[in-house]
Amino acid sequence: MGRNNAVQVLSVADTFASAKTYEIPVDASMTRLTVSVSGIQRALPTVKLVNPNGVTITPSNAATYLTLSSGVIISVNAPQRGRWKLTVSGSTDTLYVNASGTGSLALASFNLAKFGGQAPHQGLFKLDGEPAPNQSVYGVAALTPGASTAQFIMRTKAYADIAAIPMERDGTDGGKYFGQFAVPAQPFLVYVTGNDSTGSPYQRVFSMSVTPQGVSVIAPPAQDLRPGVPATMVFQVRNDGSDDTFGVTATDDLHYITGVAPSSLTLKSGETANVVVSLTPPAGASPGTADTITAAVQSSTNPASRNSASVTNFVTGAEAVPGKPNFVAQVLGQETVAPGVIGVDVRFTNTGVGTARAMSIASIRPKTLAGTGTVTLNTALSPALPFVTPNVDVGGFFTVRLTFNVPATVQRFSITEAGSVNDIDGAPYSLSHAQSIIAR
């Protein structure tokens, strides 16, 4: 039971040449408090835990008090409510300081998300891979019952404040919180603090650290796979960090992948390149079978610089149809990603009489229709051009997120996408679509 009610209150990695003190709020739901301080070196740090009444915890009044070669573990049953104090000193090497316990009030989850989906089922979807520094994302958190107030904050692993996360409680689910914020440049942990339903202070930390990455991977739209028929998926890799070389790998659940090209990418800062993943479902693959493909990149000079993205495809029993494909484009929705930056979701539907292959969007031209100023395509947040889409059956569709830099003086603008598409026999056809956008 206690294992299912485990909660994390504090997580710190730091050096302690001089003493540092941490406040550990113990709320009404906590039935046990455990503090652990450990390091890699065999140097015993000095650890002092004091309850809200000022009483120091010793082996005589603790449930557990273990002194190890390079650390200390202290547990207290039925800890007193209020603000405890933990002081650590005596180490120039990194120590790992954790406060945990058992309690019913928990930060059950915290995910980064982005706006997406297709009307009428649009909403927030979990972010694929790690975010980029300064990227605008949504935080989506779940708290178990017991919290009266909740304030979310990003902190470094050394417990330094970075910035608050403006989170609002979901009106239909009191345990869910969401809010938009900019990703910082350094790794961070998410903490939530506040008062519980009895007025006692609490603190929780989500134990998984977020490490922003200068390299990003963008997955292509999902496509239908046919038994025994080769297919390709084009992932995009963008490097917003320093010039670097990245190794490229790809895996999938059902081992349909037959090749990945290239296996290595050398990208200057700001450059984007395509990675082609080839796959062939076996001839006996059953319609409806799902296969998730993940493409990953990792720096050859800095193993910590890495990222990945995934896409799930389904095997279909439909036959490819000869004839001319044709597409209509429709704006499903738009979102203010950041001040002066607007994301537009455009759905392309094959309304022709034949299966589309190798549809390519070669250019995207924005034009100001009302107001003043020049709208430009945000190449950092939009797919690299030309953007080659997967096979699309008659009646099938895919959605692309296009992002634009829009001056505040622009009231309305248009976007025109131009490119080409082939039928199943390889005959090419040109395409051009335009939509009007009201700047919000």
Side-chain angles (χ1 to χ4, degrees):
M1 182 68 139
R3 188 175 179 85
N4 291 334
N5 290 335
V7 295
Q8 189 81 3
V9 182
L10 179 73
S11 178
V12 174
D14 203 358
T15 56
F16 296 87
S18 58
K20 297 178 182 179
T21 299
Y22 304 94
E23 195 173 77
I24 302 175
V26 170
D27 56 274
S29 79
M30 291 184 64
T31 58
R32 184 179 179 91
L33 172 64
T34 298
V35 169
S36 66
V37 180
S38 61
I40 299 174
Q41 305 297 324
R42 292 183 176 274
L44 186 65
T46 300
V47 178
K48 182 179 181 181
L49 180 63
V50 180
N51 73 15
N53 287 338
V55 177
T56 299
I57 303 303
T58 64
S60 63
N61 59 8
T64 302
Y65 201 114
L66 297 177
T67 300
L68 308 174
S69 59
S70 59
V72 175
I73 299 175
I74 304 171
S75 291
V76 179
N77 289 333
Q80 180 184 352
R81 295 186 202 177
R83 302 183 185 277
W84 293 58
K85 289 186 178 180
L86 173 65
T87 302
V88 180
S89 62
S91 176
T92 57
D93 296 311
T94 299
L95 293 178
Y96 300 93
V97 179
N98 290 281
S100 59
T102 56
S104 59
L105 198 171
L107 178 55
S109 65
F110 184 91
N111 292 306
L112 300 182
K114 61 181 178 180
F115 185 81
Q118 298 163 1
H121 304 294
Q122 292 174 289
L124 296 178
F125 292 82
K126 186 177 178 181
L127 197 69
D128 211 3
E130 296 282 9
N134 301 315
Q135 181 179 354
S136 181
V137 297
Y138 288 89
V140 182
L143 276 175
T144 56
S148 176
T149 61
Q151 295 84 40
F152 293 82
I153 188 170
M154 292 177 285
R155 290 186 173 128
T156 67
K157 193 66 176 176
Y159 203 66
D161 289 356
I162 299 176
I165 305 176
M167 303 276 279
E168 298 180 8
R169 181 174 288 189
D170 191 323
T172 60
D173 185 344
K176 297 291 180 63
Y177 296 78
F178 65 95
Q180 191 174 18
F181 68 100
V183 175
Q186 71 259 54
F188 64 92
L189 289 166
V190 173
Y191 282 80
V192 58
T193 62
N195 292 328
D196 66 12
S197 57
T198 70
S200 299
Y202 76 89
Q203 176 173 283
R204 299 292 186 266
V205 57
F206 195 64
S207 58
M208 294 184 64
S209 173
V210 178
T211 304
Q213 297 289 344
V215 61
S216 58
V217 183
I218 302 172
Q223 66 170 289
D224 289 335
L225 304 176
R226 291 180 171 83
V229 177
T232 58
M233 304 294 294
V234 181
F235 289 79
Q236 295 179 334
V237 179
R238 180 177 176 86
N239 179 28
D240 287 305
S242 56
D243 299 358
D244 208 343
T245 298
F246 301 90
V248 181
T249 59
T251 58
D252 68 323
D253 298 339
L254 301 179
H255 309 293
Y256 290 172
I257 292 177
T258 57
V260 181
S263 59
S264 178
L265 289 171
T266 298
L267 297 174
K268 294 182 179 180
S269 181
E271 282 191 337
T272 300
N274 289 340
V275 171
V276 178
V277 178
S278 303
L279 62 156
T280 302
S286 301
T289 301
D291 185 36
T292 298
I293 302 166
T294 300
V297 296
Q298 183 172 31
S299 167
S300 59
T301 58
N302 177 16
S305 177
R306 60 185 185 274
N307 221 326
S308 64
S310 301
V311 59
T312 299
N313 299 322
F314 290 87
V315 176
T316 177
E319 295 291 336
V321 179
K324 180 182 177 180
N326 187 53
F327 282 86
V328 296
Q330 176 188 8
V331 173
L332 293 184
Q334 65 187 77
E335 174 195 21
T336 299
V337 177
V341 182
I342 294 178
V344 179
D345 293 317
V346 183
R347 182 170 70 184
F348 295 86
T349 303
N350 183 2
T351 59
V353 297
T355 300
R357 286 187 175 170
M359 178 185 171
S360 173
I361 300 174
S363 66
I364 298 171
R365 300 188 303 274
K367 179 182 179 181
T368 299
L369 300 177
T372 59
T374 301
V375 179
T376 58
L377 180 69
N378 186 312
T379 56
L381 299 179
S382 298
L385 300 177
F387 176 65
V388 181
T389 70
N391 299 338
V392 183
D393 291 326
V394 175
F397 58 84
F398 63 92
T399 303
V400 179
R401 163 61 66 98
L402 303 175
T403 305
F404 299 90
N405 303 312
V406 183
T409 52
V410 173
Q411 300 170 2
R412 186 164 61 92
F413 66 97
S414 66
I415 54 176
T416 301
E417 309 91 20
S420 62
V421 63
N422 294 348
D423 63 19
I424 63 173
D425 295 320
Y429 302 90
S430 60
L431 296 171
S432 181
H433 310 89
Q435 305 85 39
S436 178
I437 309 296
I438 297 175
R440 295 177 180 174

